[in-house]
Amino acid sequence: MAQYDVVIIGGGPGGYNAAIRAGQLGLKVACVEGRGVLGGTCLNVGCMPSKALLHASEMYDLANKDFATLGIEVAPKLNLGQMMKQKAESVTALTKGIEFLFKKNKADYVKGWGRIAGPGKVAVKGEDGAESILEAKHIVIATGSEPTPLAGVEVDQKRIVDSTGALSLPEVPKSMVVIGAGIIGLELGSVWRRLGAEVTVVEYLPRITPGMDEETAKTFQRALTKQGMKFELGAKVTAAKVGKKDVELTIEPAAGGEAKSLKADYVLLAIGRRPFTDGLGLETVGITPDKRGFIETDHFKTSAEGVWAIGDVIHGPMLAHKAEEDAVACIELIAGKAGHVDYDLVPSVVYTYPEVAWVGKTEEALKAEGVAYKAGKFPFTANSRAKINHETDGFAKVLADAKTDRILGVHIVGPQAGEMIGEYCVAMAFAAASEDIARICHPHPTRSEAGRQAAMGVEGWTMQA
Ligand code: NAI
């Protein structure tokens, strides 16, 4: 029987980072993954392929709509097969990269589906169906999440797809309905809208992207609407009838009222994700997930001795980079070090055009908590780099404590917002005041100056306008 210090179940961003960190710290470690390839949802059917399609479709959209403004006359022609091929090649290169890192850091990659088979034991069912047992001082559950289903709208991955199916449609839909105006719906809806589909997003709430700062979400929605995306807010889908070449959805106002029907070639269901713990043998060590399926933990420790959990299966934002932070902290705690994650500083990015990125509190959260704050805001219409590039959608907004000036939240909507937010993650980790950013020289001309100007705006001395 193979014996390990740590056996990790799941090879996504949580699991593979945990395996590499354990190897670095000299622990004997194995990572069990059943999909036949490392990287989990993020690398295989999530963050990476979606970003590959977002980048390629953005280039296509730019070539179609914006190149002429720059004096470049082209007539782009879509080659969907090639777009999908380069996506697949990038994904393969990345997953192979993780295998290399496993070897380099002496982490064993065990292929097969793992389940806990009692304290200190993980059973792995290999491709041949035979089961082997790994013995472990510590078991780390990193099994991630799966799409949340919706009654009456059954995913067949042909006409009604989830995020996985939407990454590999065989054609550009003439029309697509996206159910759920969350990050997945808007990112993948954007891909297909740019490639030519008419996209309608049906959202249960009266607003898009719950959790995002409300003013930011409104500006974001205006930008998406300008690009041709349609929104049916405050509406729920109650039934779906799949035909040969389309789907007919029944839509009702969320508050009740008359139903109407909406037809589309393809439907993308993206109403959230839920923890994935099917067949994991949690009962063999006495772990019962909570009502929503999450495993409850205290500093990654579950209720079972020697069993830890990280990433999407535990509470907190379901984000790859949060899972990575969990992974490192959890393994460091196992190794007797002081692993720690600051969950107030986990940034979020929506990789649409424009991008939306934020870190820290929204205005709504600060109001609800009764925190007195000041806001500084700067529009990209007044940023020289944005103007020169004809990319003036959006703004940067800095929220700071009214008494101490400590930065409490930053919200950016605009191209490359995801790259800009890193500066504020660092600043907030060092407990910066808005004045610290306002008095730091930033390169000119860059979009980062809009972030600085927003910080200057907290004390009312914004200069470029
Ligand atoms: P989400 O939780 O972000 O959004 C789901 C949306 O669906 C919400 O707006 C919700 O109100 C709506 N909804 C729920 N039930 C509905 C119904 N019956 N009818 C209509 N609307 C309904 O979930 P999403 O977009 O599926 O993403 C799942 C997870 O993956 C999230 O935690 C997200 O943050 C993460 N993710 C992150 C990405 C990134 O960081 N760029 C990319 C993709 C996913």
Side-chain angles (χ1 to χ4, degrees):
M1 212 178 297
Q3 296 198 335
Y4 288 95
D5 294 319
V6 186
V7 170
I8 298 152
I9 308 178
Y16 77 71
N17 278 282
I20 292 167
R21 188 73 187 117
Q24 287 172 344
L25 293 177
L27 298 168
K28 186 162 164 49
V29 60
C31 179
V32 183
E33 170 56 62
R35 153 194 316 264
V37 58
L38 291 169
T41 300
C42 175
L43 263 74
N44 292 288
V45 287
C47 333
M48 293 305 142
S50 66
K51 261 82 266 178
L53 292 185
L54 277 159
H55 175 71
S57 62
E58 188 179 327
M59 294 298 108
Y60 179 66
D61 210 32
L62 278 174
N64 262 321
K65 299 204 179 116
D66 300 325
F67 275 17
T69 316
L70 306 175
I72 307 166
E73 304 280 347
V74 288
K77 186 165 163 266
L78 178 66
N79 179 344
L80 189 61
Q82 170 57 24
M83 200 176 273
M84 293 293 173
K85 187 166 163 268
Q86 60 83 35
K87 171 199 75 172
E89 285 166 358
S90 302
V91 167
T92 303
L94 288 166
T95 55
K96 291 281 169 222
I98 300 173
E99 280 187 39
F100 166 77
L101 288 172
F102 268 40
K103 283 193 189 116
K104 192 176 158 208
N105 292 289
K106 300 192 172 53
D108 287 350
Y109 167 24
V110 178
K111 287 189 183 175
W113 293 105
R115 74 178 165 81
I116 301 174
K121 285 194 172 53
V122 173
V124 183
K125 197 170 185 179
E127 278 163 355
D128 55 1
E131 240 184 19
S132 57
I133 300 282
L134 308 179
E135 274 194 346
K137 286 188 202 138
H138 301 273
I139 297 170
V140 178
I141 301 168
T143 46
S145 59
E146 61 179 355
T148 306
L150 177 62
V153 184
E154 201 175 317
V155 170
D156 59 11
Q157 300 296 21
K158 289 191 180 93
R159 289 286 154 189
I160 303 181
V161 296
D162 60 17
S163 53
T164 302
L167 290 166
S168 304
L169 294 184
E171 58 178 351
V172 177
K174 279 194 200 67
S175 54
M176 176 182 243
V177 169
V178 175
I179 307 176
I183 301 188
I184 293 183
L186 298 180
E187 285 188 352
L188 293 175
S190 285
V191 165
W192 294 106
R193 202 275 314 148
R194 292 166 186 170
L195 298 182
E198 266 189 26
V199 175
T200 305
V201 183
V202 181
E203 165 60 47
Y204 187 80
L205 296 173
R207 55 161 293 175
I208 67 166
T209 48
M212 185 187 284
D213 178 81
E214 215 167 310
E215 182 187 30
T216 311
K218 279 192 182 137
T219 300
F220 180 37
Q221 191 186 340
R222 262 200 304 278
L224 293 173
T225 304
K226 207 166 78 183
Q227 294 162 21
M229 203 177 262
K230 294 198 180 81
F231 291 93
E232 292 265 0
L233 301 183
K236 61 180 175 186
V237 175
T238 52
K241 210 167 98 197
V242 181
K244 265 203 178 129
K245 290 199 160 176
D246 59 10
V247 185
E248 187 175 353
L249 296 174
T250 307
I251 294 179
E252 289 175 23
E258 210 174 309
K260 65 174 181 180
S261 102
L262 194 58
K263 270 194 174 182
D265 302 356
Y266 291 89
V267 170
L268 162 59
L269 181 65
I271 59 164
R273 296 181 64 84
R274 62 181 186 189
F276 179 65
T277 53
D278 284 359
L280 197 55
L282 293 178
E283 65 291 347
T284 67
V285 284
I287 297 174
T288 312
D290 72 9
K291 269 192 242 149
R292 291 168 57 212
F294 290 99
I295 297 175
E296 294 191 80
T297 54
D298 177 10
H299 293 80
F300 316 110
K301 270 189 185 151
T302 69
S303 56
E305 185 64 32
V307 182
W308 308 68
I310 57 171
D312 284 8
V313 287
I314 68 170
H315 286 278
M318 286 179 151
L319 297 170
H321 47 272
K322 177 264 186 185
E324 292 176 14
E325 296 306 298
D326 285 357
V328 169
C330 175
I331 294 297
E332 289 182 349
L333 288 172
I334 288 174
K337 294 179 172 292
H340 172 71
V341 181
D342 186 346
Y343 290 104
D344 287 337
L345 292 183
V346 176
S348 291
V349 181
V350 190
Y351 295 88
T352 42
Y353 186 95
E355 288 184 351
V356 187
W358 68 99
V359 59
K361 305 272 179 170
T362 63
E363 290 207 53
E364 294 69 47
L366 291 173
K367 280 176 192 152
E369 289 168 19
V371 178
Y373 67 93
K374 285 186 183 176
K377 205 172 109 185
F378 195 79
F380 283 107
T381 44
N383 172 266
S384 52
R385 186 64 187 271
K387 259 195 145 73
I388 290 293
N389 289 4
H390 306 275
E391 294 181 322
T392 52
D393 277 330
F395 59 76
K397 177 163 80 173
V398 174
L399 309 173
D401 189 288
K403 271 204 209 109
T404 65
D405 194 32
R406 183 172 175 163
I407 301 171
L408 302 173
V410 179
H411 304 271
I412 305 171
V413 54
Q416 293 152 42
E419 301 298 333
M420 285 177 66
I421 204 69
E423 171 182 355
Y424 279 97
C425 296
V426 175
M428 288 174 73
F430 282 89
S434 80
E435 190 180 353
D436 291 327
I437 298 294
R439 293 191 183 276
I440 290 173
C441 181
H442 283 60
H444 176 74
T446 61
R447 302 184 69 86
S448 73
E449 287 175 290
R452 181 195 183 184
Q453 291 287 337
M456 290 159 79
V458 172
E459 292 297 327
W461 58 292
T462 293
M463 283 178 180
Q464 297 173 5

